[in-house]
């Protein structure tokens, strides 16, 4: 039994007990780590290594085009270099760096002990590392992708890229995107549920708002790219003509799917960095941020608007004039929410008493560079100017001013600001001033002149150019500036390493900030807080200066260790009212094993060893099921003491636990992918050449009825299995689960019969798209069988009761979603031909 008073009176003993439960062993045991502090550091360090590699590739680009008619590298190698530079910076540096900082900061800022799903975070890191490694191995072997980081078809299609270069990009990026989606789900669930009691939505730190909005954008922005990558890989591997206009496909479909991801991606990169600005700037201005509510509103507006701008990148492909007008206006309108934030930052500075330290220097550099990039962005939003500047160095300069100014400068400010948190050592910034001026000056030398070369007509992505074009001296200056900037980043690395190693020890909260991330010891322990705080304001450390000491002494929630469990708290989404005690999983090698098996699947697909890929996929699903060992409880526990006189139920017995949110969010991403597939099918029907197809789907009527019956039974049984009346009695509950499994099996068999009636899928895009949508629904039915069987096993093992029905509720969501996708699939497969004929 727990003796709260005894452990609260002995804080040293409490810290030791917490460390014994939450800590990670040294040596090979570190590979089993799932703690957010360790996973976050891995993300950050790995992303910085990829940034260094991307920077070296950029130096090779600048060396090649510093002078006309350069023979430094040939066109084939140059194509690989600029493709990998863009790929590394966009996919392997920017998003993972943001994920690492989010994983590290969010639990501390929210007053939690870890992220909502530690094992999923660890699995996401290994997927990121292995997926990025596939791309780097391809680069070392001379097999790197060479069609641009956007992989436009038909250049990336098999006839024009016959090697495996494009396959490496498609496989590696899809592997990495698994990491991004898992991070998005984890961030959303953590921000919405794992906050300190009392922290309502209007009391959350603004950085949490920024990260929450970004995670939602990732959740809905990444599935179209994943879908497009799968479609392009199936075209390259099996000849399904989604992008081949001679067989009913259309290359523009790839651009639509890519930029449905690609334009939100720009804001996915910018918004977390803007969150860093909003967090750091008030500290150095000496006052709270101005316009908290306006910033939140502008963030939400920016997220919505960013999804309506993808054609901004396609103004020159032949879009109708009415559509051009709409997307041009939307491209200008999206600047308004950003301007709201900029005015809030300026108001904070002018109404405070700013002190000029190195983090503040980088924030001022961000203002200059990003605003300049935003102005050129408005220029490119105007269609006539875009037509003139498209595919020139002006666009390259604009993109770097926005992305480097909007992401790298705030991240450098964040590095100096949070360095004491990572190292426990005070930051000395004399050397940092030199770093700032080298990076700031080198950056502007590099990219300012590229606006002029672009306006003078220099195309992007060319490996050489002739004499006499007037570009020579500007390119030479840009290359010199690039190397000056590289020196600045090298000195930054040295500066951080030296301060981490030799800096003096620092006290807690050296910046006198008001957010909870500075309430933990420096560097933080694996459990962050010995006792979780109660929050009554947006700046808890400012309103309660003694809060950090009281938490360290065990005066708060969960200031004890209960039965060796890893516990943190969950709250009501809106009010922040204490709602449940979340039991988190401990360290394990399973995330690493699952990532290795997932890598086996992707490598099998890459090498066209499809039997190996199928075996690895089955093994991956089996490894995921092993994650549930030890989870849940075989007995109802009821309300438990949570500290401060409060009680709460375990999350497995609560109405709105984080795992249920995870399934709902995963299904939202799944629905987005399916909607993108439906959009692609309709796009081909309406726009693509060489339609109608030579043959239509003529299925057997019995198979269609079997699918409908199976989906109806599976959905009904899945929903019923979550009801308390069914969960109370084992036999009806198990009968419902058995019916759900059989229903999915019936639907799977029906889909299989329909698939057999599809015309040759390599002959026309109609047959190929019909086959893919049917396979999509069949895969969901197959997974539904596994989930129903798993629920049946959990029920018979005693892990399900009236109170403990989380497993069945998660399954019911999947069953209902499978039925909806199945019905929509039947509508696409049968309804469209019926309308067309």
């Amino acid at each position: 039994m727990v003796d709260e008073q005894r452990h609260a009176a002995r804080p040293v003993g409490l810290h030791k007990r917490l460390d014994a439960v939450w800590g990670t062993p040294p040596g090979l045991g570190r590979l089993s780590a799932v703690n957010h502090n360790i996973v976050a550091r891995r993300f950050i360090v790995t992303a910085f290594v990829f940034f260094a590699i991307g920077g070296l590739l950029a130096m090779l680009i600048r060396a090649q085009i510093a002078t006309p008619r350069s023979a430094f590298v040939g066109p084939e190698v140059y194509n690989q270099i600029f493709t990998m530079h863009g790929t590394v910076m966009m996919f392997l540096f920017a998003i993972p760096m943001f994920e690492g900082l989010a994983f590290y900061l969010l639990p501390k800022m929210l007053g939690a002990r870890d992220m909502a799903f530690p094992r999923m975070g660890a699995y996401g890191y290994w997927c990121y590392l292995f997926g990025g490694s596939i791309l780097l191995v391809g680069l070392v072997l001379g097999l790197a992708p060479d069609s641009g980081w956007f992989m436009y078809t038909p250049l990336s299609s098999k006839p024009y890229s016959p090697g495996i270069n494009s396959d490496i990009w498609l496989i590696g990026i899809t592997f990495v995107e698994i990491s991004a989606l898992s991070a998005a789900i984890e961030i959303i669930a953590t921000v919405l549920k794992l906050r300190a009691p009392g922290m309502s939505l209007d009391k959350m730190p603004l950085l949490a708002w920024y990260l929450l909005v970004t995670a939602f954008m990732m959740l809905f922005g990444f599935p179209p790219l994943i879908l497009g990558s799968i479609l392009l890989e199936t075209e390259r591997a099996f000849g399904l003509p989604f992008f081949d206009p001679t067989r009913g496909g259309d290359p523009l479909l790839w651009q639509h799917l890519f930029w449905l991801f690609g334009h939100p991606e720009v804001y996915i990169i910018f918004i977390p960095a803007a969150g860093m600005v909003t967090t750091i700037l008030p500290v150095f201005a000496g006052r709270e941020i101005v316009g908290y509510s306006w910033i939140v509103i502008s963030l939400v507006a920016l997220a919505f608007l960013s999804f309506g701008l993808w054609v901004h990148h396609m103004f020159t492909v032949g879009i109708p004039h009415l559509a051009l007008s709409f997307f041009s206006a939307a491209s200008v309108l999206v600047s308004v929410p950003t301007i709201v934030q900029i005015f809030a930052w300026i108001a904070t500075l002018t109404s405070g008493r700013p002190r000029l330290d190195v983090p503040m220097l980088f924030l001022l550099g961000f203002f200059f560079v990003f605003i300049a990039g935003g102005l050129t962005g408005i220029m490119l939003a105007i269609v006539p100017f875009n037509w003139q500047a498209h595919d020139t160095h002006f666009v390259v300069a604009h993109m770097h001013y926005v992305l480097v100014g909007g992401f790298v400068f705030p991240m450098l400010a964040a590095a100096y600001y949070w360095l004491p948190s990572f190292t426990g050592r005070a930051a000395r910034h004399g050397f940092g001033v030199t770093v700032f001026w080298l990076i700031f000056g080198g950056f502007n030398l590099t990219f300012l002149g590229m606006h002029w070369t672009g306006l003078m007509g220099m195309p992007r992505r060319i490996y050489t150019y002739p004499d006499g074009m007037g570009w020579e001296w500007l390119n030479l200056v840009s290359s010199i500036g690039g190397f000056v900037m590289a020196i600045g980043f090298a000195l930054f690395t040295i500066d951080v390493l030296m301060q981490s190693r030799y800096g003096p020890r620092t006290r807690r909260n050296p910046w006198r900030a008001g957010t909870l991330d500075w309430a933990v010891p420096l560097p933080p322990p694996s459990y962050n807080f010995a006792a979780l705080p109660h929050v009554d304001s947006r700046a808890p450390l400012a309103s309660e200066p003694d809060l950090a000491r009281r938490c360290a002494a065990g005066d708060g929630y969960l200031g004890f260790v209960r039965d060796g469990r890893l516990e943190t708290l969950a709250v009501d989404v809106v009010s922040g009212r204490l709602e449940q005690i979340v039991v988190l999983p401990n360290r394990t090698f399973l995330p690493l094993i699952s990532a290795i098996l997932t890598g086996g699947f992707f490598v099998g697909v890459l090498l066209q060893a499809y039997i190996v890929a199928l075996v690895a996929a089955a093994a991956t699903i089996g490894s995921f099921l092993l994650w549930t060992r030890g989870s849940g409880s075989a007995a109802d526990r009821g309300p438990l003491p949570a500290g401060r006189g409060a009680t709460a139920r375990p999350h497995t017995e609560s109405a709105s636990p984080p795992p249920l949110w995870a399934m709902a969010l995963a299904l939202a991403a799944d629905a987005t992918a399916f909607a993108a597939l439906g959009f692609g099918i309709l796009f081909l029907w309406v726009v693509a050449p060489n339609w109608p197809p030579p043959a239509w789907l003529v299925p057997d009527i019995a198979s269609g009825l079997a699918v409908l019956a199976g989906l109806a039974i599976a959905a009904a049984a899945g929903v019923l299995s979550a009801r308390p009346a069914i969960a109370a009695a084992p036999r009806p509950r198990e009968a419902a689960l058995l019916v759900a499994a059989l229903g999915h099996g019936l639907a799977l068999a029906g889909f299989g019969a329909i698939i057999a009636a599809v015309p040759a899928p390599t002959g026309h895009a109609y047959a190929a798209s019909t086959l893919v949508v049917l396979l999509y629904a069949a895969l969901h039915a197959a997974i539904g069988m596994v989930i129903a069987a798993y629920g049946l096993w959990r029920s018979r093992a005693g892990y399900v009761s009236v109170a403990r029905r989380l497993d069945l509720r998660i399954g019911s969501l999947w069953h209902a979603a499978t039925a909806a996708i199945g019905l929509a699939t039947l509508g696409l497969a049968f309804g469209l031909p019926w309308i067309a004929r």
Side-chain angles (χ1 to χ4, degrees):
M1 297 296 293
V2 176
D3 185 348
E4 290 187 46
Q5 290 75 21
R6 178 168 59 87
H7 290 303
R10 297 175 54 190
V12 174
L14 171 61
H15 283 270
K16 288 182 177 179
R17 293 195 58 176
L18 285 168
D19 187 65
V21 174
W22 289 82
T24 301
L28 290 177
R30 298 283 287 184
L31 296 177
S32 68
V34 298
N35 183 265
H36 78 104
N37 286 309
I38 297 175
V39 173
R41 290 170 186 264
R42 288 174 177 171
F43 265 109
I44 292 169
V45 171
T46 306
F48 191 80
V49 170
F50 279 120
F51 175 73
I53 294 170
L56 290 175
L57 294 173
M59 294 302 96
L60 295 176
I61 294 173
R62 289 310 324 170
Q64 171 65 21
I65 61 175
T67 56
R69 302 188 184 279
S70 174
F72 182 63
V73 296
E76 294 83 6
V77 174
Y78 184 81
N79 287 343
Q80 293 187 28
I81 289 173
F82 87 74
T83 298
M84 281 297 295
H85 167 69
T87 299
V88 167
M89 291 304 195
M90 296 294 287
F91 295 101
L92 304 183
F93 162 62
I95 298 299
M97 179 63 76
F98 135 69
E99 292 170 11
L101 285 170
F103 280 17
Y104 185 81
L105 294 173
L106 270 179
K108 301 173 183 62
M109 282 193 160
L110 299 174
R113 282 178 171 159
D114 208 324
M115 299 290 285
F117 312 111
R119 292 183 180 181
M120 188 162 71
Y123 171 75
Y125 169 74
W126 295 117
C127 287
Y128 159 54
L129 177 64
F130 297 157
S133 298
I134 290 174
L135 290 162
L136 289 187
V137 169
L139 178 64
V140 171
L141 297 179
L143 299 172
D146 53 7
S147 301
W149 71 274
F150 36 79
M151 293 295 288
Y152 280 170
T153 58
L155 182 60
S156 58
S157 299
K158 199 72 171 180
Y160 301 97
S161 297
I164 67 169
N165 304 60
S166 296
D167 301 294
I168 288 175
W169 189 96
L170 295 167
I171 297 300
I173 291 304
T174 303
F175 200 177
V176 171
E177 295 306 287
I178 293 175
S179 170
L181 280 179
S182 65
I185 293 171
E186 188 163 15
I187 289 170
I188 294 171
T190 299
V191 173
L192 293 181
K193 296 301 296 182
L194 265 62
R195 308 196 300 269
M199 186 182 285
S200 55
L201 285 180
D202 63 337
K203 292 187 180 71
M204 283 201 319
L206 276 170
L207 181 58
W209 275 109
Y210 278 91
L211 297 177
L212 176 65
V213 170
T214 305
F216 269 112
M217 293 177 68
M218 292 168 63
L219 191 74
F220 296 112
F222 284 19
L225 175 63
I226 295 174
L227 173 70
S229 299
I230 293 172
L231 295 181
L232 182 52
E233 181 59 26
T234 55
E235 177 175 294
R236 290 179 55 85
F238 304 111
L240 304 187
F242 301 106
F243 310 104
D244 183 357
T246 65
R247 293 179 289 164
D250 195 325
L252 285 183
L253 174 60
W254 170 263
Q255 290 198 37
H256 280 289
L257 292 176
F258 183 86
W259 290 116
L260 278 168
F261 145 83
H263 200 86
E265 163 83 347
V266 175
Y267 296 96
I268 289 169
I269 291 173
F270 163 70
I271 288 176
M276 304 294 171
V277 176
T278 306
T279 302
I280 299 170
L281 187 141
V283 176
F284 289 93
R287 61 149 300 153
E288 290 187 15
I289 192 73
V290 172
Y292 178 101
S293 299
W294 283 103
I295 290 175
V296 173
I297 294 171
S298 70
L299 272 176
V300 177
L302 184 63
F304 275 105
L305 289 172
S306 69
F307 281 93
L309 305 180
W310 79 94
V311 179
H312 172 91
H313 298 268
M314 302 171 61
F315 282 168
T316 61
V317 302
I319 301 296
H321 285 184
L322 180 62
L324 287 178
S325 300
F326 171 80
F327 286 104
S328 177
S331 299
V332 175
L333 183 63
V334 77
S335 63
V336 175
T338 305
I339 293 171
V340 170
Q341 296 174 63
I342 292 174
F343 280 139
W345 296 332
I346 294 174
T348 303
L349 283 175
T350 55
S351 60
R353 301 182 62 183
R355 66 183 193 269
L356 197 62
D357 211 328
V358 168
M360 193 65 202
L361 270 179
F362 280 103
L363 294 187
L364 294 176
F366 154 78
F367 282 128
F368 177 85
V369 174
F370 181 75
I371 291 174
L375 293 175
T376 57
I378 294 175
M379 295 167 65
L380 289 169
I382 308 304
V383 175
F385 181 84
N386 188 289
W387 282 351
Q388 301 299 316
H390 189 77
D391 267 343
T392 70
H393 268 206
F394 187 92
V395 177
V396 178
H398 157 72
M399 184 176 68
H400 283 83
Y401 262 79
V402 170
L403 294 183
V404 177
F407 185 78
V408 175
F409 277 91
M411 286 301 170
L412 291 170
Y416 280 107
Y417 177 72
W418 275 293
L419 187 62
S421 177
F422 282 89
T423 65
R425 298 181 182 274
R428 292 183 172 179
H429 295 151
F431 201 42
V433 175
T434 304
V435 169
F436 167 76
W437 286 112
L438 285 171
I439 294 176
F440 181 78
F443 172 83
N444 285 285
L445 274 178
T446 303
F447 296 107
L448 184 61
M450 292 176 71
H451 292 94
W452 296 330
T453 56
L455 292 176
M456 294 169 67
M458 183 173 179
R460 54 178 171 176
R461 310 180 200 117
I462 57 171
Y463 82 101
T464 189
Y465 52 93
D467 295 306
M469 302 298 293
W471 309 335
E472 295 87 349
W473 72 273
L474 287 169
N475 274 306
L476 182 59
V477 170
S478 290
S479 295
I480 292 172
F483 282 93
V484 170
M485 182 168 51
I487 293 171
F489 280 113
L491 292 181
F492 164 76
T493 306
I494 294 171
D495 190 23
V496 169
L497 292 176
M498 294 296 289
Q499 292 193 48
S500 301
R501 177 73 175 174
Y502 301 109
R505 293 290 178 182
T506 184
R507 58 182 174 84
R508 194 177 315 207
N509 196 9
W511 303 112
R512 301 186 299 278
T515 49
L516 284 176
D517 50 311
W518 295 107
V520 301
L522 303 181
S526 53
Y527 47 87
N528 291 332
F529 299 91
L532 303 184
H534 187 91
V535 173
D536 295 311
S537 70
R538 293 173 183 167
L541 295 188
S543 58
E544 298 182 62
D546 198 39
L547 180 62
R549 185 200 61 79
R550 289 193 286 106
C551 289
D555 182 11
Y557 296 100
L558 297 182
F560 48 84
V561 176
R562 188 191 342 254
D563 302 327
R565 296 174 181 265
L566 284 68
E567 294 182 333
T568 192
L569 297 178
V571 298
D572 176 72
V573 170
V574 177
S575 67
R577 173 180 50 82
L578 175 60
E579 194 175 71
Q580 54 196 272
I581 297 173
V582 178
V583 180
L584 299 176
N586 211 327
R587 54 188 177 271
T588 174
F589 288 98
L590 281 173
L592 175 58
I593 294 171
S594 297
I596 292 173
L597 293 172
T598 308
F601 167 76
F602 282 107
V603 172
V605 172
L606 177 63
L607 301 179
Q608 298 187 359
Y610 298 116
I611 300 299
V612 174
L614 289 174
V615 171
T620 301
I621 294 174
S623 70
F624 287 150
L625 294 176
L626 290 177
W627 287 25
T628 63
R629 289 189 310 171
S631 65
S633 175
D636 296 345
R637 306 188 73 191
L640 300 172
R644 291 174 58 104
T647 61
R649 291 183 177 275
H651 74 276
T652 53
E653 301 175 19
S654 300
S656 179
L660 195 66
W661 278 86
M663 175 56 81
L665 294 168
L667 289 174
D670 179 46
T672 304
F674 185 80
L677 179 57
F679 164 81
I681 293 173
L682 292 174
F683 177 83
L684 293 179
W685 276 74
V686 174
V687 175
N690 293 312
W691 283 69
W696 299 96
L697 170 65
V698 183
D700 178 70
I701 296 177
S703 62
L705 293 175
V707 173
L708 288 173
L711 292 173
I713 293 171
V719 174
L720 286 174
S721 67
R723 293 181 55 190
I726 297 297
R731 288 188 178 180
R733 178 176 68 234
E734 293 170 9
L737 290 167
L738 183 60
V739 170
L742 293 175
H744 283 302
L746 184 62
L748 181 60
F751 280 125
I754 298 174
I755 288 171
V758 173
T762 58
H764 195 272
Y766 160 73
S769 59
T770 302
L771 173 65
V772 168
V773 74
L774 289 169
L775 288 173
Y776 197 98
L779 176 63
H780 281 69
I783 295 175
M785 291 178 63
V786 175
I787 291 176
Y790 170 76
L792 183 61
W793 171 76
R794 292 284 284 185
S795 177
R796 291 190 173 181
Y799 288 98
V800 178
S801 70
V802 176
R804 294 174 286 108
R805 51 194 179 92
L806 175 59
D807 293 326
L808 301 189
R809 295 174 66 201
I810 290 173
S812 70
L813 290 178
W814 183 270
H815 302 321
T818 299
I821 287 175
L823 292 174
T825 296
L826 295 178
L828 290 171
F830 297 151
L832 289 179
W834 180 77
I835 293 172
R837 289 181 291 180

